[in-house]
Amino acid sequence: MNKELKILAIIIILVGITYWGIEPYAHSKMHPHHEPATFKYEDLKPLPLKGDAKRGAQAIQNNGCTGCHSIKAAGIPAPMDPVSASASYGVNPPDLSNIAALIDKKFLANFIKHPVKAFKLEHKFGANRPFPMPDFFGSDQDLADIVAYLESIAKPQEPRGAFETACGRCHNLRYDKWTVIGPKPKFKNEVEKADFELKKAKYEANLKKYLGTTPPDLSMFIRSRGPEYIRDFVENPQKLLHGTAMPRVGLTEKATEEVIKHLEHVGDRKKEKREKLGPWVLAYFVILSILAYLWKEKIWKELH
Amino acid sequence: MAHFTKANSVYEWLDQRLALTKLWKVLAAEYWIPKNINFLWAMGVVLMTMFTILVISGIFLLMYYKPDTKLAFDSVNYTIMQEVWFGWLWRHMHAVAASVVFLVIYIHMFTGIYYASYKRGREMIWISGMLLFVTFSAEAFSGYMLPWGQMSYWAAQVITNLFGGIPFIGDDLVIWIRGNFYVSDPTLTRFFMLHVFLLPIIIMMLIGFHFYTLRIPHVNNQDGEEIDFDAEAEKYKAGLKRESKVIPFWPVFLSKDFFVLSVFMIFYFYLVFYHYEFAMDPINFDPANPMKTPPHIYPEWYFLWSYEVLRGFFFNVGPLSAMDMGLIAFGIANIIFFFLPWFDKDPTVAPADRRGGFFFWFWLMVIDMIVLTIWGKLPPTGINAYIGYLAAVGFLALWAALPAITGERRKLFWFVVIVTALLYIFGFMEYTKAMGNGFIITATFLIFYLLFFLSPVMVKERERGAQ
């Protein structure tokens, strides 16, 4: 028995060393360490002024925001359908109803003022290739009022809503029947289906022209990238994938968690079942091992 | 025609026609195994169980899998993982078993090497086992392609490309294997056929053959003792169970195996539920994209050691490119274990700790293969390239030295050591760019390979009964 335990110990040590070498150690060499996301957006300056939501409702009209953006919560419709919008701007501009529930307040103000800088996309957009949303020309007080207004109308977002607003205009999520132009409806006939597919294809072509690449479908990202990577990547894409066309979208920590929750629901739908079944199966084999040991002892007793 | 009497029970009826009692005796109740064994002797039954799990889970997966480059990824990751009832469990079990089965194969294999269970009549056990190892490797490689993820695609690309290194027919061979000029739909469908039909059938036949090879020489024991199985079996049957050196396969041997197996299953299912990422690489959850090469391409862990033998040669030698040198070594590494019974010139059957120099050879081999495995995954940059070279040349050198070690030929042994040391020094000079590839390196490699191929032929086997 003693000898068998010694053999087992040697095997465990050798397997342990090998495992450590090919998994944690090798992966630390393949993916160099980076600082985890803080969601503080420290390179941006906070807005010194206090905003007024009522004045903001007016300012958002005066400054031309609604020329491109819808605010459905305030009854302001989108000026264009998604496909035409993508033809004009590259991507469909977001509805602003709940934007402040997802995006960091400081980031939002900075973004409105200098979109490209906040997005960290200076390598993609500049004087030669202007960003579709212009820098803010209004006063700082207007800006503060607009942010206050957006905050006043925003409703807290469920995981799905967070994903659709924050990611869903560039990324498909086919395992959740989500497309860049909205949820995939049930088609009544082939014409409807072909019509929808054509719209989606047009939108995706415009998006590709705008970004220089087709953003990936995120259905399996929870398994292919894992929650930590997604979290750190969303906070600052350039840090993990230098030169990527993906903007820093300025999500709050909570909104990022909501997005990850949704991706987990879509890409690892059986996680809960897996974690619930695991202990039962393990317990079964623990009991079986005990019984098997007793049986073995009984049979081998007469041999020694 | 044989004479049949009226049967009194269903069992008797069957027994008359199929000789069930006799069959059970031959296969189990009077199939004799040495008593002097430890839990490593249970690995065969563990492997058999893992293979059964692979077949059963594979059958369930096969009902929903679609071998088409447009459908494969979603059929696995959506249909099976999310829609099919317990599909996720079958897939996790299949993927983890495919990885863990190699861990047990390696333990099984090195148990055989440690206790010298490959010689003096046991050569066919060893060879059939190695044939199983090779077919399992092909089975694993073809299976890994099926989900059509990024690593499925790029591993297929890299590995099929290796056949291009074979002189004269290489380029045509690659096209023949792929069924196209590049890895694509026909490649997937033919590897699907191999994975679900041809290779499993070959494996099943080989398993039967492997069992059969045990019949005449019998299972080895912890001391390599030669046992008179007939005499010991008579003792056991006469009730002298304590005195007898053998035990029947059923129920004695299996009762112990069953315990080892149950404990192993705790480990296996722990991996299935909580720790599957090592067997289901995250990168393979990205759909295959021929336009986007992943930054790091590596095979599954059980192929890493031979992959590193391939990669270890990082400089050209005379007319041969680094790739040619690597391919030669890789080709040798993949078949060399078959020849172990003839590289070992010592007729003694005993555990390695009683075989002098062989004990050190065994542990050096284990350490070298672990180093190769780990460095097979690390990016081959900087000093890693040289460490990979050390381990790859070391692997070949261990084989070149084995006849000298086991045949007790001291001068030959030191000659191998000196030539290897020279290769290490020249390799370091190549690494630091202090020396171009020239005549001296070419000549040293030539001597090295001459030693490698000639030693097992020229060194005579030691006299039997020397110990």
Side-chain angles (χ1 to χ4, degrees):
Chain A
M1 194 62 207
N2 229 350
K3 188 178 171 188
E4 297 202 78
L5 285 178
K6 226 194 280 174
I7 296 172
L8 184 64
I10 291 172
I11 290 178
I12 290 173
I13 290 167
L14 292 178
V15 172
I17 291 172
T18 312
Y19 174 78
W20 171 83
I22 57 176
E23 283 292 311
Y25 181 66
H27 285 286
S28 76
K29 292 282 153 190
M30 282 188 272
H31 315 287
H33 177 76
H34 60 261
E35 290 305 315
T38 59
F39 295 94
K40 293 215 170 79
Y41 303 108
E42 268 157 351
D43 58 315
L44 303 175
K45 282 195 206 83
L47 212 58
L49 302 170
K50 207 171 167 324
D52 177 73
K54 262 187 209 146
R55 272 183 299 173
Q58 197 53 47
I60 208 160
Q61 303 265 16
N62 297 346
N63 283 283
C65 304
T66 49
C68 301
H69 293 277
S70 60
I71 312 177
K72 286 177 187 147
I76 300 170
M80 283 187 251
D81 66 283
V83 180
S84 321
S86 72
S88 311
Y89 312 122
V91 66
N92 185 21
D95 180 84
L96 300 182
S97 308
N98 298 312
I99 210 90
L102 302 172
I103 290 175
D104 181 79
K105 184 183 173 186
K106 178 171 80 172
F107 184 95
L108 188 56
N110 276 275
F111 173 77
I112 296 169
K113 204 161 185 182
H114 300 294
V116 176
K117 186 165 166 267
F119 262 10
K120 289 207 176 214
L121 286 182
E122 288 102 332
H123 58 288
K124 288 254 167 201
F125 299 100
N128 294 332
R129 191 157 176 257
F131 188 69
M133 173 159 158
D135 285 4
F136 190 70
F137 293 113
S139 67
D140 276 2
Q141 187 56 55
D142 275 4
L143 184 57
D145 293 344
I146 288 173
V147 173
Y149 169 70
L150 290 176
E151 277 191 307
S152 72
I153 57 169
K155 288 196 190 73
Q157 291 295 293
E158 297 287 297
R160 173 171 277 123
F163 172 85
E164 287 172 4
T165 309
C167 324
R169 287 165 298 109
C170 289
H171 294 282
N172 290 313
L173 196 64
R174 67 186 187 285
Y175 292 179
D176 195 41
K177 298 190 168 58
W178 174 263
T179 75
V180 282
I181 56 169
K184 199 172 184 172
K186 282 219 158 48
F187 303 115
K188 285 194 202 82
N189 51 49
E190 286 301 311
V191 177
E192 265 187 18
K193 188 179 169 200
D195 188 47
F196 184 84
E197 294 295 341
L198 180 66
K199 276 188 192 156
K200 179 169 167 265
K202 278 184 180 165
Y203 186 98
E204 280 170 347
N206 291 331
L207 193 60
K208 187 174 180 184
K209 222 189 290 166
Y210 171 58
L211 294 171
T213 177
T214 304
D217 184 293
L218 300 183
S219 295
M220 288 310 290
F221 261 49
I222 198 72
R223 287 294 287 258
S224 69
R225 302 299 190 282
E228 288 89 17
Y229 183 91
I230 296 172
R231 198 183 127 93
D232 294 348
F233 185 79
V234 165
E235 193 234 16
N236 186 357
Q238 298 300 334
K239 190 165 76 178
L240 294 182
L241 195 63
H242 186 71
T244 179
M246 159 124 171
R248 174 172 73 168
V249 289
L251 294 190
T252 62
E253 188 165 9
K254 189 171 170 296
T256 309
E257 298 299 339
E258 297 291 323
V259 167
I260 290 172
K261 223 183 266 175
H262 187 58
L263 290 180
E264 194 168 271
H265 172 71
V266 171
D268 198 7
R269 200 164 298 196
K270 301 293 178 180
K271 188 183 176 197
E272 212 175 301
K273 260 196 175 161
R274 197 170 63 225
E275 284 169 356
K276 223 161 112 187
L277 183 63
W280 289 98
V281 175
L282 293 188
Y284 173 84
F285 280 103
V286 169
I287 294 167
L288 189 68
S289 299
I290 295 167
L291 294 177
Y293 182 75
L294 295 175
W295 184 45
K296 183 234 147 193
E297 283 297 289
K298 187 183 154 228
I299 287 181
W300 281 68
K301 204 169 58 195
E302 21 181 307
L303 298 174
H304 285 298
Chain B
M1 188 182 142
H3 178 68
F4 284 82
T5 52
K6 190 177 176 344
N8 294 316
S9 67
V10 176
Y11 179 78
E12 203 181 320
W13 189 88
L14 286 169
D15 196 27
Q16 286 170 346
R17 284 151 185 83
L18 300 172
L20 290 183
T21 309
K22 197 173 173 193
L23 186 72
W24 178 247
K25 269 189 184 174
V26 170
L27 290 182
E30 291 184 14
Y31 174 49
W32 304 99
I33 311 276
K35 191 196 282 175
N36 180 21
I37 54 173
N38 58 49
F39 78 89
L40 291 171
W41 268 252
M43 292 306 132
V45 166
V46 174
L47 280 173
M48 198 59 218
T49 312
M50 294 317 281
F51 181 66
T52 310
I53 288 179
L54 283 165
V55 171
I56 294 172
S57 56
I59 288 171
F60 282 107
L61 296 176
L62 188 49
M63 292 185 207
Y64 293 95
Y65 174 74
K66 294 191 168 61
D68 179 313
T69 51
K70 288 196 182 68
L71 306 171
F73 186 87
D74 287 347
S75 76
V76 173
N77 290 306
Y78 187 68
T79 313
I80 290 172
M81 291 288 277
Q82 306 208 359
E83 296 211 303
V84 175
W85 207 52
F86 283 107
W88 59 272
L89 180 60
W90 292 119
R91 196 214 173 177
H92 273 220
M93 282 175 69
H94 198 75
V96 174
S99 194
V100 164
V101 83
F102 277 91
L103 174 65
V104 188
I105 286 177
Y106 283 127
I107 294 174
H108 195 53
M109 206 171 132
F110 275 88
T111 304
I113 299 177
Y114 191 88
Y115 291 99
S117 312
Y118 50 83
K119 55 182 168 180
R120 264 187 115 163
R122 295 203 175 90
E123 289 86 351
M124 285 315 294
I125 308 177
W126 178 256
I127 289 173
S128 58
M130 282 309 300
L131 284 171
L132 272 169
F133 175 74
V134 171
T135 358
F136 260 93
S137 300
E139 178 72 356
F141 172 67
S142 56
Y144 197 73
M145 202 184 294
L146 302 188
W148 209 244
Q150 265 295 64
M151 207 57 110
S152 300
Y153 179 86
W154 288 98
Q157 185 75 24
V158 171
I159 302 295
T160 52
N161 210 23
L162 291 181
F163 291 93
I166 296 173
F168 308 117
I169 56 164
D171 293 340
D172 292 327
L173 189 62
V174 173
I175 297 168
W176 184 73
I177 291 170
R178 290 177 179 169
N180 201 341
F181 297 102
Y182 44 91
V183 173
S184 54
D185 200 63
T187 323
L188 177 64
T189 48
R190 64 186 50 206
F191 277 88
F192 170 69
M193 180 283 290
L194 287 174
H195 186 74
V196 304
F197 173 69
L198 190 56
L199 292 172
I201 286 196
I202 292 175
I203 287 175
M204 286 175 203
M205 293 196 295
L206 280 173
I207 289 175
F209 181 56
H210 192 54
F211 287 169
Y212 177 64
T213 59
L214 284 161
R215 284 275 149 181
I216 310 294
H218 282 281
V219 172
N220 196 6
N221 56 73
Q222 279 197 95
D223 295 311
E225 185 192 353
E226 240 179 72
I227 294 173
D228 182 344
F229 276 82
D230 293 331
E232 297 298 328
E234 286 311 316
K235 269 195 219 167
Y236 188 93
K237 281 198 275 189
L240 299 168
K241 291 184 180 178
R242 275 172 227 278
E243 289 76 12
S244 176
K245 287 177 178 170
V246 297
I247 50 171
F249 185 72
W250 171 266
V252 182
F253 180 71
L254 274 187
S255 72
K256 184 168 179 170
D257 279 13
F258 198 59
F259 167 61
V260 177
L261 182 65
S262 308
V263 175
F264 181 81
M265 287 318 240
I266 302 174
F267 168 68
Y268 166 67
F269 275 106
Y270 162 73
L271 298 177
V272 166
F273 285 103
Y274 302 105
H275 209 103
Y276 40 78
E277 301 240 308
F278 79 101
M280 307 171 80
D281 198 298
I283 294 179
N284 223 25
F285 285 93
D286 267 347
N289 183 353
M291 310 303 286
K292 201 174 141 196
T293 318
H296 304 282
I297 301 176
Y298 43 83
E300 284 293 270
W301 72 267
Y302 37 85
F303 294 140
L304 286 171
W305 68 270
S306 60
Y307 182 63
E308 186 59 15
V309 170
L310 170 79
R311 270 200 327 186
F313 294 85
F314 62 91
F315 54 89
N316 304 335
V317 175
L320 294 174
S321 67
M323 187 66 184
D324 293 332
M325 289 297 290
L327 274 174
I328 292 168
F330 178 73
I332 291 172
N334 278 305
I335 57 164
I336 194 63
F337 277 97
F338 277 97
F339 298 96
L340 176 59
W342 294 279
F343 271 73
D344 186 341
K345 296 298 177 188
D346 177 2
T348 330
V349 177
D353 56 288
R354 283 176 229 161
R355 290 182 57 203
F358 184 79
F359 180 70
F360 296 98
W361 185 89
F362 177 85
W363 287 112
L364 278 175
M365 182 54 96
V366 171
I367 292 166
D368 190 64
M369 284 182 73
I370 290 177
V371 170
L372 283 168
T373 301
I374 295 174
W375 265 264
K377 194 149 180 184
L378 294 175
T381 45
I383 192 73
N384 286 343
Y386 183 62
I387 294 173
Y389 172 78
L390 289 186
V393 172
F395 179 80
L396 297 176
L398 279 168
W399 284 96
L402 185 56
I405 292 171
T406 48
E408 297 204 318
R409 298 276 294 269
R410 274 166 199 278
K411 276 184 202 157
L412 181 62
F413 171 72
W414 285 111
F415 191 43
V416 174
V417 171
I418 289 166
V419 174
T420 309
L422 282 176
L423 288 181
Y424 280 180
I425 293 167
F426 295 152
F428 188 74
M429 290 162 86
E430 285 285 342
Y431 171 66
T432 54
K433 306 267 187 286
M435 188 165 121
N437 63 91
F439 176 71
I440 300 176
I441 294 186
T442 317
T444 320
F445 263 111
L446 201 65
I447 296 168
F448 181 76
Y449 273 115
L450 277 176
L451 280 171
F452 185 94
F453 286 111
L454 288 181
S455 299
V457 185
M458 306 298 275
V459 175
K460 282 201 182 63
E461 181 160 313
R462 268 161 63 197
E463 291 288 311
R464 287 197 179 191
Q467 284 185 332

